[in-house]
Amino acid sequence: MTVKPGGKIFCYEWCEGDTYETALLSFHLNPDTVLIFYHGVSLPQDKPIEEDEVEIIMTFHTGCGTG
């Protein structure tokens, strides 16, 4: 499976029963701070992996705050 968070590409070698949450955690991505899409359709993080490639959208901003 290929994961594309923030324009970066990660490859994850999954085993039967692995979920998107498992994959995200392996990349040190907090599953609660992303949305997972496959061809524009949102996927739940607890869904078993079946797709070859998904898009990950970060839902937070680390900011560069001032003051």
Side-chain angles (χ1 to χ4, degrees):
M1 175 191 67
T2 304
V3 179
K4 297 178 173 181
K8 298 177 184 175
I9 297 176
F10 297 93
C11 291
Y12 179 75
E13 296 294 325
W14 55 277
C15 297
E16 187 174 335
D18 282 359
T19 64
Y20 288 103
E21 180 178 33
T22 305
L24 292 167
L25 290 171
S26 77
F27 298 126
H28 304 287
L29 296 172
N30 182 342
D32 294 331
T33 62
V34 301
L35 297 172
I36 307 161
F37 290 95
Y38 177 69
H39 292 286
V41 176
S42 179
L43 301 175
Q45 63 185 356
D46 61 350
K47 179 187 181 302
I49 297 171
E50 299 172 334
E51 296 73 22
D52 289 332
E53 183 175 298
V54 295
E55 182 177 7
I56 304 297
I57 306 294
M58 309 300 252
T59 60
F60 69 97
H61 187 276
T62 58
C64 60
T66 59

